Amino acid sequence: MLKALNINKYFGNDHVLKSINFEMDQGEIVAIVGPSGSGKSTFLRTLNLMEYPTDGDIFFKGESILYKTVGDRSIQKKEKEVTPIRTNIGMVFQSFNLFPHKTALQNVIEGPIIVKRNSKDEAIKDGKSLLGKVGLLDKKDHYPSGLSGGQQQRVAIARALAMNPDLMLFDEPTSALDPELIGEVLNVIKDLAKEGMTMVVVTHEMNFARNIANRIIFMDDGRIVKNSTPEEFFTNKQNERLNKFLANIDRE
């Protein structure tokens, strides 16, 4: 479903992503872990072109997101050509990013009405269903300021699902939450996993990665250092940098 080929990303002189190669199949759940500053979130954001890579290419369902062929030349797609592809890739951020002046339901129905041109009645029906799915139908008329962090993040997940994406990207979805609220968000993601949703999750929740992911990727200094099954990831102790990372996690 998704393939990244030789992705490099510079911010000025800072080489943030270094020759990243990655692919995943439909239905897979890939967890990305690593220390702060390793490039995890930047890599995730390149997968739906929230950050354009400096070079390399990204393919979604066999089609390049970045480039098109015109005659015998490969040229970068315009933003309006990227948008239809991007709508099939949902994104959930660590900081929720809800519209503060809109209710939970209004946040969820915004995309389907504005981007997908769904009727308001259809969007409301689907939006209520999705809020029910994340356990928040009773909060549909509440504004973000009246919701807990965990509730806001669940609304954000419902909002992303409202676009009916084929792929979901989660950028540390629990990092801004108090410890007692983390479980309610992880449970929603676990339910999506059971339903077969294809997902890439940047996370520091190692037990979640161990129990839910098909594969775990460890990034360090802008590179993929390890890409393996959870069992191999946690039992193979041959990578010194990974061992140090896991040891630090265990002490937290």
Side-chain angles (χ1 to χ4, degrees), residues 73-88:
R73 294 188 305 136
S74 180
I75 64 174
Q76 186 168 306
K77 291 180 177 178
K78 297 178 180 179
E79 182 70 19
K80 66 180 181 180
E81 296 172 300
V82 171
T83 299
I85 302 172
R86 188 185 281 145
T87 58
N88 287 312

Side-chain angles (χ1 to χ4, degrees), residues 32 65 234 246:
I32 302 179
I65 302 178
F234 288 103
L246 292 176

Side-chain angles (χ1 to χ4, degrees), residues 93-96 153 171-178 182 204-205:
F93 305 88
Q94 54 184 300
S95 55
F96 321 140
Q153 191 62 292
D171 186 9
E172 300 201 39
T174 62
S175 65
L177 301 179
D178 293 333
I182 289 173
H204 58 272
E205 299 291 335

Side-chain angles (χ1 to χ4, degrees), residues 42 47 60 78-79 86 108 149 166-167 174 192 206 212 229 248:
T42 300
L47 294 179
F60 179 62
K78 297 178 180 179
E79 182 70 19
R86 188 185 281 145
V108 172
D166 294 315
L167 169 67
T174 62
L192 293 176
M206 301 307 292
I212 299 300
T229 65
N248 287 333

Side-chain angles (χ1 to χ4, degrees), residues 10 39 86 124 195 200 202 209 248:
Y10 288 84
R86 188 185 281 145
I124 289 174
E195 294 171 6
V200 183
V202 172
N248 287 333

Side-chain angles (χ1 to χ4, degrees), residues 1-4 22-26 47 58-62 65 89 167 169 200:
M1 175 175 279
L2 185 68
K3 180 183 290 186
F22 164 83
E23 61 182 274
M24 66 183 299
D25 295 325
Q26 183 173 350
L47 294 179
I58 298 167
F59 294 84
F60 179 62
K61 300 171 73 172
I65 302 178
I89 304 175
L167 169 67
L169 308 177
V200 183

Side-chain angles (χ1 to χ4, degrees), residues 7-193:
I7 298 299
N8 286 275
K9 176 65 178 179
Y10 288 84
F11 291 107
N13 294 322
D14 191 6
H15 196 178
V16 177
L17 298 178
K18 303 172 182 177
S19 300
I20 297 286
N21 290 285
F22 164 83
E23 61 182 274
M24 66 183 299
D25 295 325
Q26 183 173 350
E28 267 199 292
I29 301 160
V30 176
I32 302 179
V33 303
S36 297
S38 60
K40 306 183 302 295
S41 291
T42 300
F43 174 52
L44 193 77
R45 291 166 69 89
T46 65
L47 294 179
N48 68 349
L49 300 189
M50 292 195 71
E51 293 287 353
Y52 275 74
T54 305
D55 55 57
D57 203 353
I58 298 167
F59 294 84
F60 179 62
K61 300 171 73 172
E63 177 184 356
S64 172
I65 302 178
L66 275 165
Y67 300 103
K68 64 181 179 180
T69 301
V70 178
D72 58 355
R73 294 188 305 136
S74 180
I75 64 174
Q76 186 168 306
K77 291 180 177 178
K78 297 178 180 179
E79 182 70 19
K80 66 180 181 180
E81 296 172 300
V82 171
T83 299
I85 302 172
R86 188 185 281 145
T87 58
N88 287 312
I89 304 175
M91 182 85 175
V92 175
F93 305 88
Q94 54 184 300
S95 55
F96 321 140
N97 288 3
L98 298 177
F99 296 113
H101 61 288
K102 293 182 180 293
T103 65
L105 181 60
Q106 288 170 338
N107 267 278
V108 172
I109 68 176
E110 177 88 356
I113 292 174
I114 301 299
V115 179
K116 301 190 78 172
R117 306 296 185 187
N118 290 357
S119 71
K120 186 174 182 179
D121 287 345
E122 180 184 4
I124 289 174
K125 178 182 177 182
D126 293 342
K128 288 180 177 178
S129 176
L130 287 168
L131 286 174
K133 183 185 185 75
V134 299
L136 289 175
L137 182 57
D138 61 328
K139 303 292 185 181
K140 66 181 177 63
D141 296 321
H142 286 59
Y143 290 90
S145 61
L147 301 173
S148 70
Q151 290 169 338
Q152 289 185 61
Q153 191 62 292
R154 283 188 280 157
V155 172
I157 294 172
R159 179 181 61 181
L161 291 174
M163 298 298 289
N164 196 28
D166 294 315
L167 169 67
M168 286 284 288
L169 308 177
F170 293 87
D171 186 9
E172 300 201 39
T174 62
S175 65
L177 301 179
D178 293 333
E180 66 267 24
L181 302 177
I182 289 173
E184 64 188 57
V185 173
L186 292 182
N187 285 336
V188 171
I189 301 175
K190 289 175 184 177
D191 288 341
L192 293 176

